[in-house]
Amino acid sequence: MGERPNILLFLPDQHRGDWLGFLGGLPLRTPHVDGLAARGTAFTNAICPSPLCAPSRACLATGLEYDRSPVKRNEHDLPLDAPNLYRSLRTAGYHVATCGKLDLAKGSMDWGPDGRHGEGDTAKLAKLGFTGGQDS
């Protein structure tokens, strides 16, 4: 059996899609992102299930369409017991870290000084399946 692949889920949501050189839109140079796309899989026709951050990211995490997702607005947190991609990866033996805007616990507004939403194994990030990282 071969080695498990590394997984990098890169979710830039603060720029237009044509701001990436490998897509051939604007004449911009983005060599590092272009390199990641060349060595991996780039989802160039993905759509966003919600115009709001928390519901959209919850749909990605749970694999559910917006109408079936438990997060309808930015004021809602993803329930800690909801099945999600991150917990599934951790259960499969992956180290699952996050850096940046996760928005799965956006409603409670309790990031804390380290961005982990609590302490140690009881932190919301740990309960959601993350083994490390921070949510900003």
Side-chain angles (χ1 to χ4, degrees):
M1 183 170 207
E3 204 173 303
R4 288 187 315 182
N6 288 321
I7 300 169
L8 172 63
L9 189 56
F10 182 61
L11 303 170
D13 66 350
Q14 298 298 319
H15 66 265
R16 296 177 358 189
D18 61 355
W19 288 8
L20 296 171
F22 77 92
L23 292 178
L26 299 175
L28 299 173
R29 295 182 320 184
T30 55
H32 299 293
V33 175
D34 296 354
L36 288 171
R39 292 187 308 275
T41 301
F43 297 94
T44 58
N45 292 312
I47 60 168
C48 184
S50 170
L52 300 176
C53 301
S56 189
R57 291 172 185 263
C59 289
L60 176 70
T62 62
L64 297 173
E65 293 181 8
Y66 175 81
D67 290 344
R68 300 189 66 174
S69 173
V71 179
K72 302 292 187 205
R73 300 169 34 169
N74 280 341
E75 294 82 15
H76 302 153
D77 286 354
L78 181 67
L80 297 177
D81 60 350
N84 69 66
L85 169 67
Y86 310 111
R87 189 176 304 110
S88 295
L89 288 169
R90 184 182 68 192
T91 300
Y94 279 90
H95 175 75
V96 183
T98 181
C99 178
K101 187 171 101 171
L102 188 62
D103 283 346
L104 296 179
K106 187 171 189 161
S108 57
M109 304 289 280
D110 65 348
W111 288 269
D114 63 359
R116 291 190 47 81
H117 300 279
E119 299 295 325
D121 290 340
T122 63
K124 286 181 186 172
L125 287 184
K127 289 181 178 180
L128 287 167
F130 293 91
T131 53
Q134 57 82 34
D135 183 15
S136 56

